[in-house]
């Protein structure tokens, strides 16, 4: 029984999440020898304040208008 877990930062519409589930389900169905009702797709949405790259949260990147973290500056 294939199970696919996807973790995303929150912010997508229910329609986008539904389309993602549909496309992943179809890819698993196409590439494995299993029945459709055995395929499980789970989407976990993480608040942007709870996801960080390089010690910078996605919320902080959003506020700075960047998509990649800048060097973390020491606070004095």
């Amino acid at each position: 029984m294939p199970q696919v877990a996807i973790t995303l930062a929150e912010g997508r519409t229910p329609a986008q999440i539904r389309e993602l589930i549909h496309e992943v389900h179809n890819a698993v169905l196409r590439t494995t020898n299993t029945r459709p009702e055995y395929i499980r797709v789970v989407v976990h949405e993480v608040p942007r304040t709870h996801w960080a790259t390089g010690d910078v949260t996605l919320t902080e990147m959003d506020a700075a208008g960047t998509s990649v973290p800048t060097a973390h500056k020491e606070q004095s």
Side-chain angles (χ1 to χ4, degrees), residues 14-45:
Q16 289 172 313
I17 299 285
R18 183 63 187 101
E19 181 67 16
L20 174 62
I21 291 168
H22 175 74
E23 293 294 332
V24 170
H25 179 270
N26 283 342
V28 173
L29 185 60
R30 211 174 36 251
T31 57
T32 63
N33 186 23
T34 193
R35 294 170 47 178
E37 62 269 22
Y38 292 160
I39 299 170
R40 306 288 188 258
V41 179
V42 180
V43 177
H44 302 276
E45 286 191 286

Side-chain angles (χ1 to χ4, degrees), residues 2-74:
Q3 178 167 320
V4 179
I6 301 167
T7 304
L8 296 171
E10 66 184 2
R12 281 134 183 116
T13 67
Q16 289 172 313
I17 299 285
R18 183 63 187 101
E19 181 67 16
L20 174 62
I21 291 168
H22 175 74
E23 293 294 332
V24 170
H25 179 270
N26 283 342
V28 173
L29 185 60
R30 211 174 36 251
T31 57
T32 63
N33 186 23
T34 193
R35 294 170 47 178
E37 62 269 22
Y38 292 160
I39 299 170
R40 306 288 188 258
V41 179
V42 180
V43 177
H44 302 276
E45 286 191 286
V46 177
R48 296 180 75 76
T49 56
H50 289 60
W51 190 313
T53 301
D55 198 27
V56 180
T57 68
L58 296 180
T59 299
E60 292 166 337
M61 286 184 224
D62 294 342
T66 63
S67 59
V68 292
T70 56
H72 182 70
K73 295 182 182 178
E74 289 291 323

